[in-house]
Structures are given as structure tokens and as C-alpha cells.
């Protein structure tokens, strides 16, 4: 039997989110967790044991310098994604980075340049694009069943004031800056449904400030921020991100409209389901149908007989499938679905929205990373 080549993977942020990548990496049979890194001295031993790593580090530079790694998973707080990704890419190591790709347009530009110079595969871990309903809607769009898609909505409503105080970086990078600081879970699936398009202009406004942190300080981010994006072929996206308002979580609210039909995801209410109406399949008059009724005929292969690991994986299976696609791209099976430019398409509008909200909601250009 042929010996399967295994990649040695290092996970940074191993005592936090980074740990969630282990089972998907190992389920592939093509990768092993070789080294782990976290600055938490008191947690690194336990993390190494739990993740079965042979090496452990509390300094990232030391890990990528000393350890014989083929690839790195970056699961650290947002401002570390770019510097840690670049450091690995410059050493020829493949990178899977948590979302968003970066926290400023300038550092994103540096990341794109590093990727362009390297053969390493960079992927942003946009796991919501792999959720079962999102994958099915994408397949329906691809079949042309929505006609021309021209409007989409995505919402990430996740009250995290308590979590802010535990993972303190969130207080600064998610709720301490005004604008869409965490948009990729909302815009990611929509961009795949608007295939071949990107946001070319963005503007942003907020709902004001109604909450204070435990120190009595107002959050710099407004409670609900709404970003509008004009798409390259003229369509419109509306993205709402709210990490402060007191309400049940709803991180996977989506809708899409095309010339031949529409989709509205379940918004979490009792009995609510994902709903679709497609003129060519359902006919007139327009009445909602359960999206699931179309699964048997249109669901792509990946979600037909998902493995136990996929079903157990977090974020509706997204944490499993994204890793398989990253490894597939590394081994030349298929192109990387959320490579550097798709990562930029999902990240840059949010960074531009942070400029727009400072300029009273002005429409601003979103840079095209393909030109960098
Ligand atoms: N895709 C998703 O669904 C999803 C879900 C949760 C978090 N995230 C992303 O994952 C990242 C981490 O989030 P989290 O909730 O796990 O945060 P966390 O604070 O719980 O974990 C981050 C870990 O990184 C470690 N760390 C910090 N600085 C470091 C450094 N310089 N070197 C090595 N380790 C360092 C911390 O000690 C901590 O253990 C964030 O970017 C977040 O946006 C994504």
C-alpha cells in the first residue's frame, strides 16, 4: 500500500480556537499536529497533551524557526493573523488563518505581497461558507435557479460582552473599533453566491451606543452596524454586525434575491426553517418552500454522506470541510476556495466600512487585491 505523505502542522493559539482544528487535520490522514504554541505558560503542557503534539512552544518565532513544519494554523487573536501568517509564508509554510485575514488595509497589502512571492497555500478559515444550507444555496445559484443574483443580506448577531472580558483582545478589536469589525461570516457565503463578483464600494452607519463595559466605558463600536456594499456587476449587499445588543444569538442570518427567486434563512424563531422560492421549480404564486426539500436533488457531494468527524465538527461542519479543502489545495487536488484574494474580498469591505463610519457613512472604494 502506498505510504500517505503527512504534513507536520504547527498550531498557534493552541490553548484557544487553534485546538478545534486537530480532529479535522487528523481525520484527513494527511496531516498531524506536530507542534503547538501558545503564550499561556500554564496551558501549553495541557494543550500539547490534548492535541498529541510532540513539540510545544510559548514563542511563535521559535516554533517556526526550530520545528520542522510544513504548515501552520493561525488561531490567535485578530491582530496577530497577518504577522504570524507572513512569518510562516516567508518560510514556505502553508497557512490556514482564522478570520478576518487582517485588521488594516496596509497589513493586508503586505500579506498579499508575501503570498504572491511564495508557493505556500494560504487559506482563510471562513467556515460559515461550508455550512450545509449555505452549500446548498450555492449549488442552486450555480445551477442558475435564482436567475441573476442581485441582492443579498448577511447578519452576525452575537452578544459577547461577557466573552469580551475573558478573551480581552475582543474588547479592542471587535467592540473597540467602530464599523464592521467581524464581517467575514456574513459576507463570505454571500460572495460565493455572487460568484465572480466582489464588493467595489462600501458604506457604513451605526445605531448609536446603548451599552457600557464593566468599567463604565462606552463601547467604541456602535451596537448594530450596517454596511452596504455595491457589487462589481451592480448588485447590493447589506451586512449587519452586532456584538453588543441583548438578544438571542443569530450568527447565520442570510437572504439572497435573484431574478428567478429568493432565499431567506431561518432567523431562529420557534419552528422557523430555511425558506426558498424558485420560479422554475415552484411556479406561481410565489410561496415559501423548505430549503431542505431540494437537498436530495441538488446537494453537492460533500454534504451527501458526511463523515462522523464532519457531523461532530463545530460551526455546522464548517470546521471540518475547510481543513479538507486546505489540505486538498496543498496536495494539488483542487484550487484553494478561500485563497488570498477571496480572503481579501471577504475582509477588505469591513476595513473600508471602518473608514466610512468615521466619514458619516461616505461611500468609499474597496481595493482589489488582485491589483496589488
Ligand atoms: N471561525 C470561527 O468560527 C471562529 C470562532 C472563534 C474564534 N475565531 C477566531 O479565532 C481567533 C481566536 O479566537 P479565540 O476565541 O480562540 O480567542 P482566545 O483568546 O480564546 O484564544 C486565542 C489564543 O491565542 C493565544 N495567544 C495570544 N497571543 C499569542 C501569541 N503571540 N503567540 C501564541 N499564542 C498567542 C492566547 O493565549 C489564547 O490561548 C480570533 O481571531 C477569532 O476571530 C473564529
Amino acid at each position: 500500500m502506498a505510504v500517505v505523505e503527512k504534513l507536520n502542522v504547527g498550531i498557534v493559539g493552541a490553548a484557544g480556537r487553534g485546538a478545534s482544528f486537530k480532529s479535522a487535520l487528523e481525520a484527513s490522514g494527511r496531516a498531524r499536529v506536530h507542534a503547538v504554541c501558545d503564550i499561556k505558560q500554564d496551558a501549553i503542557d495541557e494543550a500539547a497533551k490534548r492535541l498529541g503534539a510532540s513539540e510545544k512552544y510559548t514563542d511563535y518565532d521559535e516554533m517556526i524557526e526550530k520545528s520542522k513544519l510544513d504548515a501552520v494554523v493561525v488561531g490567535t487573536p485578530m491582530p496577530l493573523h497577518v504577522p504570524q501568517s507572513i512569518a510562516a509564508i516567508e518560510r514556505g509554510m502553508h497557512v490556514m488563518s482564522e478570520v478576518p485575514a487582517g485588521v488594516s488595509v496596509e497589513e493586508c497589502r503586505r500579506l498579499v505581497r508575501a503570498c504572491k512571492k511564495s508557493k505556500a497555500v494560504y487559506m482563510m478559515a471562513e467556515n460559515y461558507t461550508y455550512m450545509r444550507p449555505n452549500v446548498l444555496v450555492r449549488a442552486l445559484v450555480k445551477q442558475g435557479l435564482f436567475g441573476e443574483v442581485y441582492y443579498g443580506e448577511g447578519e452576525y448577531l452575537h452578544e459577547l460582552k461577557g466573552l469580551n472580558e475573558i478573551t480581552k483582545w475582543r474588547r479592542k478589536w471587535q467592540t473597540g473599533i467602530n464599523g464592521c469589525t467581524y464581517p467575514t461570516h456574513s459576507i463570505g457565503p454571500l460572495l460565493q453566491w455572487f460568484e465572480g463578483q466582489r464588493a467595489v464600494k462600501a458604506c457604513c452607519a451605526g445605531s448609536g451606543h446603548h451599552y457600557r463595559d464593566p468599567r463604565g466605558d462606552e463601547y467604541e463600536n456602535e451596537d448594530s452596524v450596517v454596511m452596504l456594499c455595491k457589487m462589481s456587476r451592480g448588485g447590493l449587499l447589506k451586512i449587519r454586525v452586532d456584538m453588543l445588543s441583548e438578544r438571542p444569538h443569530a450568527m447565520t442570518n442570510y437572504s439572497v434575491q435573484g431574478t428567478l427567486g429568493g432565499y431567506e434563512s431561518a432567523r431562529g424563531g420557534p419552528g422557523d426553517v430555511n425558506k426558498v422560492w424558485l420560479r422554475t421549480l415552484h411556479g406561481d404564486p410565489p410561496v415559501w418552500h423548505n430549503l431542505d426539500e431540494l437537498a436530495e436533488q441538488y446537494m453537492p457531494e460533500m454534504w451527501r454522506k458526511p463523515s462522523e468527524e464532519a457531523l461532530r465538527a463545530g460551526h455546522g461542519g464548517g470546521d471540518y470541510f475547510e481543513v479538507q479543502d486546505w489540505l486538498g489545495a496543498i496536495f494539488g487536488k483542487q484550487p484553494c476556495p478561500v485563497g488570498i484574494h477571496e480572503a481579501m474580498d471577504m475582509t477588505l469591505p469591513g476595513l473600508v466600512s471602518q473608514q466610512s463610519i468615521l466619514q458619516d457613512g461616505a461611500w468609499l472604494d474597496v481595493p482589489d487585491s488582485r491589483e496589488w
Side-chain angles (χ1 to χ4, degrees):
M1 208 201 301
V3 180
V4 181
E5 189 190 343
K6 280 199 182 182
L7 299 178
N8 274 344
V9 180
I11 298 184
V12 62
R17 169 83 183 141
S20 59
F21 290 85
K22 174 193 164 68
S23 52
L25 283 168
E26 294 187 346
S28 69
R30 311 211 66 178
R32 68 168 78 82
V33 179
H34 180 65
V36 290
C37 173
D38 202 289
I39 47 167
K40 282 185 189 151
Q41 304 266 356
D42 55 346
I44 193 67
D45 288 345
E46 203 276 322
K49 202 165 149 198
R50 191 156 40 98
L51 302 184
S54 340
E55 298 177 8
K56 57 191 173 193
Y57 298 86
T58 50
D59 182 277
Y60 177 69
D61 292 333
E62 194 186 337
M63 176 175 84
I64 56 169
E65 197 57 52
K66 287 195 182 158
S67 188
K68 292 211 168 356
L69 296 177
D70 303 297
V72 171
V73 171
V74 176
T76 45
M78 288 165 51
L80 296 171
H81 297 173
V82 165
Q84 291 182 336
S85 296
I86 291 179
I89 287 163
E90 285 180 343
R91 284 172 174 77
M93 295 170 188
H94 307 290
V95 167
M96 166 149 276
S97 163
E98 257 307 341
V99 301
V103 293
S104 77
V105 174
E106 253 333 290
E107 70 161 10
C108 284
R109 201 187 285 267
R110 288 199 293 278
L111 176 64
V112 171
R113 288 195 182 134
C115 288
K116 278 186 165 173
K117 279 195 214 144
S118 170
K119 288 203 169 66
V121 175
Y122 170 92
M123 177 160 168
M124 188 179 77
E126 188 25 80
N127 42 0
Y128 284 44
T129 60
Y130 291 93
M131 288 176 172
R132 191 175 181 278
N134 293 346
V135 168
L136 179 53
V137 171
R138 188 181 185 188
L140 298 171
V141 171
K142 255 189 178 316
Q143 293 266 337
L145 289 164
F146 282 92
E148 185 190 344
V149 169
Y150 58 84
Y151 179 73
E153 293 178 354
E155 293 183 332
Y156 183 83
L157 313 178
H158 180 195
E159 190 277 317
L160 49 70
K161 295 195 288 298
L163 187 60
N164 250 339
E165 300 303 315
I166 304 165
T167 54
K168 294 189 187 300
W169 61 268
R170 280 192 166 82
R171 175 66 188 87
K172 175 167 180 190
W173 295 99
Q174 294 195 336
T175 60
I177 296 172
N178 208 6
C180 263
T181 53
Y182 198 65
T184 70
H185 295 325
S186 314
I187 200 171
L190 292 172
L191 288 182
Q192 294 191 335
W193 302 343
F194 278 67
E195 197 181 8
Q197 299 199 53
R198 64 176 197 91
V200 291
K201 281 183 182 291
C203 72
C204 188
S207 62
H209 304 269
H210 298 87
Y211 303 92
R212 288 179 182 270
D213 72 13
R215 291 158 294 284
D217 297 329
E218 202 168 63
Y219 293 97
E220 290 77 0
N221 203 0
E222 292 177 60
D223 313 316
S224 260
V225 286
V226 174
M227 167 172 74
L228 297 179
C229 296
K230 284 186 189 160
M231 301 301 287
S232 36
R233 290 205 293 270
L236 184 70
L237 300 187
K238 183 182 115 190
I239 306 294
R240 174 182 171 204
V241 174
D242 185 331
M243 293 180 277
L244 297 167
S245 299
E246 311 215 329
R247 48 156 298 135
H249 293 172
M251 283 103 96
T252 56
N253 288 349
Y254 301 99
S255 83
V256 67
Q257 183 64 51
T259 49
L260 294 176
Y263 168 69
E264 298 272 344
S265 68
R267 294 178 65 90
D272 198 4
V273 295
N274 298 313
K275 305 166 285 294
V276 65
W277 173 77
L278 299 168
R279 182 180 296 284
T280 44
L281 297 184
H282 301 119
D284 278 319
V287 179
W288 288 126
H289 292 250
N290 190 326
L291 176 72
D292 242 359
E293 291 165 13
L294 301 180
E296 195 176 321
Q297 191 173 350
Y298 294 100
M299 184 62 86
E301 197 52 38
M302 64 186 279
W303 267 114
R304 284 198 174 263
K305 279 191 195 141
S307 64
E308 280 302 310
E309 286 92 350
L311 292 172
R312 269 200 309 270
H315 298 96
D319 291 356
Y320 174 83
F321 289 116
E322 65 183 3
V323 171
Q324 308 318 313
D325 269 1
W326 178 50
L327 295 173
I330 293 170
F331 286 105
K333 205 170 134 199
Q334 90 286 317
C336 186
V338 191
I340 186 64
H341 295 305
E342 292 79 12
M344 288 300 120
D345 291 345
M346 295 176 190
T347 298
L348 293 172
L351 298 175
V352 170
S353 82
Q354 294 164 24
Q355 297 304 315
S356 166
I357 206 163
L358 290 174
Q359 296 173 44
D360 202 21
W363 280 99
L364 300 177
D365 291 339
V366 178
D368 183 355
S369 63
R370 293 157 191 83
E371 292 172 0
W372 286 349

